């Protein structure tokens, strides 16, 4: 077999690797080395995890070394160290078969390594804390060898903290409705991160590529296939409103989705539920099934859940971990443990298989993009143009006609009819897609824009003649209604952008700049129009004096 040597750089200049896998005096740096090669600098595809985040005196802790099922490692070295130092702590139980304990730094069983012929993407070992009352935060540090030239060093686990209470457990008790009672162990948002996204796990987030360990406004979920190929570890976290949930779907629409929910249950505690949606109604709760290692958290207004399950993804017509699905993420309020209609939803742009680690980009269905595009065209371009033409072209192009009508009137009617048509189409598209009331200010403003826009041309067709003594009532109401519609439309656009904008507010800033430019344009036209009227008045006065 290839020689897999674990070297201590700052001790003996030559250390031999044995075919049994036993490596002497090589734990200080956990530096994997062969023939002068350097370790990999890219993120390791292999990780070190524990079933818990706390330990007590003399407690056994299960430590898992794992990677993608398609990428086994042929060697490893693992030890537990005190956080902030290089001091080994605790001891490892003697494993059977594929691993051996080591005596390092004169401490028996302070590390564990592979044996001859090892080739796997998963192994579990047992670490036991010291039988003393010293409070120590512990981390597990590992080196992994993939082949004779590819290896990683200093792969760290999460911190394991000491507690003098009862032993922490990672699995909650299942209840009859498919939810979980929260375990004593909690996993905070900082414990869930984007590390190893695209390497060992599939990730989906909003904003794209955000890290929940850094940003509290990050909506994030990940799925990592475990080495056995029959279980998946899921994580999800996001700002707390009542619940967060992710699901798998065959399309980018709600309905026929396999869903996991992390939310507040009727007991006021965070739990996990498994649901299935059959249409636009509230998803149905199904049995949680074989779910374990459940951890939940609600800290600093961020809700988080993590769990492992052997339940395969199953939707109508498709099932299995190896199949590709659209990823969905939603969040919304809950009441007495019952989830309400979601406020925000995010959908991946492409289908993904959780057995193939990638980082997904958030996307929106084409029908939503069409809705937004039509409303922007209607009320930031054609609608604005129609209003400007009616107010300013009337005097600037006085006497110019088209089809026996004033030019300004023909242009005004044409672009405003186009604006109303675009608004109606956008309104129909979004309601055909959602088939429900999403809540919030955006749909309210949109409906008001639709109603007032619909009646504006109808009232215009029923107007009285230019010389009628009540014509001023139409002129005033027509103008005021146009201003109201424009204001409501701008509000609807901004509230809509707020639903889809990233945390940096880029879209809002761009639209704010566009609106500011439009306002400046109106001011410039008003100034020009005022000067034109003054010039016209002066000309009339001069002509009157000449006649006199």
């Amino acid at each position: 077999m290839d020689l897999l040597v674990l070297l201590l750089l700052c001790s003996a200049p030559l250390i031999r690797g044995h075919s049994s896998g036993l490596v002497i005096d090589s734990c200080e740096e956990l530096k994997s080395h062969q023939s002068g090669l350097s370790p990999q600098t890219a993120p390791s595809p292999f990780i070190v995890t524990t079933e818990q985040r706390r330990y007590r005196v003399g407690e056994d802790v299960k430590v898992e070394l794992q990677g993608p099922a398609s990428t086994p490692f042929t060697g490893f070295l693992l030890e537990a160290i005190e956080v902030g130092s290089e001091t080994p702590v605790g001891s490892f139980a003697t494993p059977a078969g594929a691993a051996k304990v080591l005596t390092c730094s004169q401490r028996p069983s302070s590390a564990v390594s592979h044996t001859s012929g090892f080739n796997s993407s998963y192994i579990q070992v047992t670490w036991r804390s010291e039988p003393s009352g010293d409070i120590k935060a512990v981390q597990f540090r590992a080196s992994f060898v993939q082949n004779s030239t590819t290896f990683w060093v200093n792969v760290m686990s999460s911190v394991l903290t000491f507690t003098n209470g009862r032993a922490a457990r990672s699995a909650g008790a299942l209840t009859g409705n498919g939810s979980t009672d929260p375990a004593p162990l909690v996993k905070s948002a900082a414990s869930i991160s984007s590390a190893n996204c695209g390497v060992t796990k599939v990730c989906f987030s909003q904003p794209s590529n955000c890290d929940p360990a850094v940003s509290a406004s990050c909506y994030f979920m990940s799925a990592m296939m475990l080495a056995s190929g029959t279980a998946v570890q899921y994580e999800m976290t996001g700002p707390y409103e009542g619940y967060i949930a992710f699901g798998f779907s065959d399309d980018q629409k709600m309905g026929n989705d396999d869903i996991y929910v992390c939310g507040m249950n009727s007991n006021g505690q965070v739990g996990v539920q498994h649901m299935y949606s059959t249409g636009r109604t509230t998803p149905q709760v199904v049995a949680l099934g074989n779910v374990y290692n459940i951890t939940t958290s609600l800290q600093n207004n961020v809700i988080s859940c993590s769990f492992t399950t052997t339940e395969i993804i199953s939707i109508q017509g498709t099932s299995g971990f190896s199949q590709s699905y659209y990823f969905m993420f939603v969040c919304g309020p809950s009441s007495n443990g019952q989830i309400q209609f979601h406020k925000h939803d995010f959908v991946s742009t492409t289908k993904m298989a959780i057995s193939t680690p990638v980082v997904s980009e958030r996307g929106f269905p084409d029908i939503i993009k069409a809705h937004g595009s039509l409303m922007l065209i209607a009320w930031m371009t054609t609608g604005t143009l129609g209003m400007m033409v009616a107010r300013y072209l009337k005097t600037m192009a006085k006497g110019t006609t088209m089809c026996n009508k004033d030019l300004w009137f023909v242009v005004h009617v044409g672009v405003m009819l186009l604006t109303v048509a675009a608004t109606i189409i956008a309104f129909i598209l979004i309601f055909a897609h959602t088939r429900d009331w999403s809540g919030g200010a955006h749909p309210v403003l949109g409906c008001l824009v639709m109603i007032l826009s619909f009646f504006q041309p109808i009232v215009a067709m029923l107007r009285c003649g230019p010389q009628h003594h009540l014509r001023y009532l139409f002129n005033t109401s027509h103008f005021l209604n146009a201003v109201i519609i424009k204001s409501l439309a701008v509000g609807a656009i901004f509230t809509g952008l707020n639903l889809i904008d990233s945390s940096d507010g880029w879209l809002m800033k761009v639209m704010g700049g566009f609106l500011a430019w439009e306002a400046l344009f109106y001011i410039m036209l008003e100034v020009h129009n005022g000067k034109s009227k003054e010039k016209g008045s002066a000309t009339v006065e001069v002509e009157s004096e000449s006649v006199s």
Side-chain angles (χ1 to χ4, degrees), residues 10 98 116 141 155 157 206 208 289 306 313 334 363 376 408 425-426 545:
C10 53
S116 178
R141 181 172 63 177
V155 179
S157 73
Q206 165 56 31
S208 297
S306 174
I313 302 170
S334 63
L376 283 173
W408 74 267
I425 295 172
E545 291 176 0

Side-chain angles (χ1 to χ4, degrees), residues 198-231:
V199 180
T200 60
K201 59 187 181 182
V202 179
C203 298
F204 178 51
S205 64
Q206 165 56 31
S208 297
N209 301 316
C210 66
D211 188 347
V214 177
S215 172
S217 61
C218 178
Y219 295 97
F220 178 88
M221 68 83 55
S222 70
M224 183 177 70
M225 178 76 72
L226 300 186
S228 62
T230 60

Side-chain angles (χ1 to χ4, degrees), residues 403-476:
C403 301
N404 295 323
K405 296 288 185 180
D406 289 338
L407 177 62
W408 74 267
F409 181 79
V410 175
V411 175
H412 172 73
V413 171
V415 294
M416 293 312 295
L417 287 177
L418 183 60
T419 299
V420 174
T423 303
I424 293 173
I425 295 172
F427 185 83
I428 293 173
L429 287 177
I430 197 62
F431 269 94
H433 174 71
T434 60
R435 301 181 187 178
D436 207 334
W437 187 262
S438 61
H442 181 69
V444 174
L445 294 173
C447 286
L448 290 175
V449 170
M450 178 68 254
I451 294 170
L452 295 176
S453 299
F454 180 77
F455 284 107
Q456 182 80 332
I458 295 176
V459 173
M461 287 189 293
L462 300 176
R463 68 189 184 279
C464 53
Q467 306 304 322
H468 197 280
H469 68 283
L470 296 178
R471 176 64 179 233
Y472 72 94
L473 293 178
F474 165 77
N475 292 340
T476 303

